[in-house]
């Protein structure tokens, strides 16, 4: 008897359909989303903290040139998400809350296969870039080894999207936290026994390999409702990619806008400058990581609310925008007066020269949170075709500003270019959203403006106090963060 293991008898299928959960209702459950957000945020804080500790160890163990090369390699690998993501995850998310279990299974398997192929393409492009442009042999070898991060991370992120569709993020949080613990442990061993550039890239590879294996085993549990089919359904890739093209182009341009400064700095200046600049990115990247963790469950709620529950869609968008603004304001208020002593404490005196650039990059990350929310909002409403023009303008602006400012002001000029670019982009993006969405008042302009004013005032006062009493930099920063956070909390309460 010829049986397809993925097909059940008609009576069993009918029973399964009667008892199958309503996945759209699950996706729309704000309590489930809140639990998922809490799990992911806790994980991202742990991951960011451990990753930060690892970067301190690496920066203190390597010379200025090698640290710059290390930072460049991982900036280049981060840029590869231009190819490896393509926005397909946002398109597939809606298909993962379908009523048909077979459709869900086939979507999951084809999506995982596509992302695996894209990861391999990204690896080849990263290695090809350093070979074609003739980077030093150490950088080429580090890219060859460290590039395996892209190979493993791309399907791992696809698995996270599957769990996101069910708000089942606790296992993802545990897997990613455990992987980061593994990476930190291996980094410590490398620092003790073999503190070289090539050895330091290996812990990140081990981390991503652990994550993808752990998530891959967990997703096969039937209770999750996401067990991939044995059919790869390669023919689905075309529709996924065609539907995702506008978002893919916009997302690719956004990633390029985020990462192009490091690549340009490596070509127009020295790896020492790249290393000093990258210290600021250690702080801003942590903010981006937390923002992405928070925006993922929000996007699931927005997908579930669109287009049948527009008032709910509007309320959730406004709440998220004000919450992200408050988070960014807290980070800026805390970091602005404490940048010099904090960098000195963590990385040593030689990196304090990059403190001003770090301040600007943290400010840029605060602005970027609203850009990310806007991109996910458009994708949730299937209006992503309006975003690529905004992202292209931002990328062009960033490149032009870097060409002008890097030769004159090195890494500080690059940081200025980043902040100006993000500020222009966020305004343009939300103007586009206001004109294209059939829902008005998605952005709470007045409360966001109030948080911004309070943040600026607190940052200025905090810097003056820190200059007058340097030993008190930590309590000064904490008080500033509490003032901004309290302002945002009160505004959120009033809005709800």
């Amino acid at each position: 008897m010829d049986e397809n293991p993925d097909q059940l008898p008609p009576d069993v299928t009918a029973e399964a359909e009667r008892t199958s959960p309503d996945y759209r209702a699950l996706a729309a459950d704000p309590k489930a989303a809140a639990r998922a957000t809490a799990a992911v945020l806790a994980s991202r804080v742990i991951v960011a903290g451990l990753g930060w500790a690892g970067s301190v160890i690496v920066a203190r163990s390597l010379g200025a040139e090698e640290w710059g090369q290390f930072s460049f390699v991982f900036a280049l690998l981060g840029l590869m998400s231009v190819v490896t993501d393509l926005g397909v995850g946002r398109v597939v998310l809606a298909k993962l809350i379908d009523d048909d279990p077979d459709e869900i299974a086939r979507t999951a398997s084809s999506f995982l296969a596509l992302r695996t192929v894209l990861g391999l393409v990204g690896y080849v492009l990263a290695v090809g870039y350093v070979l074609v442009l003739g980077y030093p042999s150490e950088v080429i070898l580090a890219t060859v080894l460290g590039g395996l991060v892209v190979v493993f991370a791309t399907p791992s992120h696809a698995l996270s999207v599957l769990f996101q569709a069910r708000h089942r993020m606790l296992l993802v949080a545990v897997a990613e936290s455990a992987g980061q613990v593994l990476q930190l442990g291996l980094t410590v061993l490398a620092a003790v026994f073999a503190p070289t550039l090539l050895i330091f890239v290996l812990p990140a590879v081990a981390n991503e390999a652990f994550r993808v294996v752990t998530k891959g085993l967990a997703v096969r549990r039937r209770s999750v409702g996401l067990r991939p089919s044995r059919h790869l359904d390669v023919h689905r890739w075309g529709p996924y990619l065609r539907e995702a093209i506008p978002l893919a182009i916009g997302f690719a341009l956004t990633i390029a806008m985020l990462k192009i400064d490091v690549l340009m700095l490596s070509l127009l200046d020295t790896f020492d400058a790249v290393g000093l600049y990258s210290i600021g990115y250690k702080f801003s990247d942590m903010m981006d990581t937390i923002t992405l963790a928070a925006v993922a469950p929000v996007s699931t709620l927005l997908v579930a609310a669109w287009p049948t529950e527009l008032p709910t869609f509007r309320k959730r968008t406004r709440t998220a925008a004000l919450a992200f603004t408050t988070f960014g304001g807290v980070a800026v208020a805390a970091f602005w007066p404490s940048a010099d002593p904090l960098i000195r404490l963590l990385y040593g005196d030689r990196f304090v020269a990059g403190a001003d650039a770090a301040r600007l990059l943290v400010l840029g990350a605060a602005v970027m949170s609203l850009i990310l929310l806007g991109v996910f909002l458009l994708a949730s409403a299937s209006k992503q075709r309006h975003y690529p023009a905004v992202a292209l303008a931002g990328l062009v602006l960033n490149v032009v500003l870097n060409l002008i400012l890097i030769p004159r002001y090195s890494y500080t000029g690059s940081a200025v270019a980043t902040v100006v670019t993000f500020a222009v982009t966020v305004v343009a993006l939300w103007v586009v959203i206001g004109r294209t969405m059939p829902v008005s008042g998605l952005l709470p302009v007045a409360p966001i403006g109030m948080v911004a004013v309070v943040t600026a005032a607190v940052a200025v006062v905090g810097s003056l106090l820190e200059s007058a009493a340097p030993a008190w930099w930590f309590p000064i920063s904490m008080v500033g963060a509490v003032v901004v956070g309290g302002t945002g909390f009160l505004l959120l309460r009033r809005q709800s």
Side-chain angles (χ1 to χ4, degrees), residues 64 67-69 71-72 265 270-280 351:
W67 166 248
Q69 293 172 343
S71 301
F72 164 78
L265 194 60
T270 64
F271 279 113
D272 187 24
V274 172
L276 288 170
Y277 186 60
S278 297
I279 290 299
F351 289 106

Side-chain angles (χ1 to χ4, degrees), residues 5 12 31 76 99 122 165 204 210 224-225 345 356 459 468 472:
V12 177
K31 292 183 179 180
L76 174 62
D99 294 330
F210 174 85
V224 179
L345 174 67
D356 286 339
W472 290 84

Side-chain angles (χ1 to χ4, degrees), residues 207-227:
N207 177 7
E208 294 298 345
F210 174 85
R211 290 180 180 183
V212 71
V213 170
T214 303
K215 295 177 197 175
L217 293 174
V219 82
R220 297 185 60 81
R221 292 157 45 189
R222 292 191 181 277
S223 61
V224 179
L226 287 165
R227 189 172 188 175

Side-chain angles (χ1 to χ4, degrees), residues 339-404:
D340 288 69
L342 184 60
I343 291 174
R344 181 179 293 109
L345 174 67
L346 293 174
Y347 294 97
D349 289 333
R350 68 186 174 106
F351 289 106
V352 175
D356 286 339
R359 289 185 177 94
L360 292 171
L361 289 176
V362 168
L363 176 60
V367 177
M368 175 53 64
S369 65
L370 288 179
I371 296 177
L372 292 173
L373 177 62
V375 174
F376 276 75
L377 184 153
L378 289 173
S380 301
S382 298
K383 294 186 178 295
Q384 54 265 30
R385 67 184 181 277
H386 300 287
Y387 176 62
V390 175
L392 177 60
L395 175 60
V396 172
L397 176 62
N398 202 10
V399 170
V400 171
L401 289 175
N402 273 292
L403 287 173
I404 295 171

Side-chain angles (χ1 to χ4, degrees), residues 441-458:
L442 288 172
L443 187 69
V445 178
I448 286 177
M450 187 176 298
V451 172
V453 169
V454 172
T455 300
V458 167

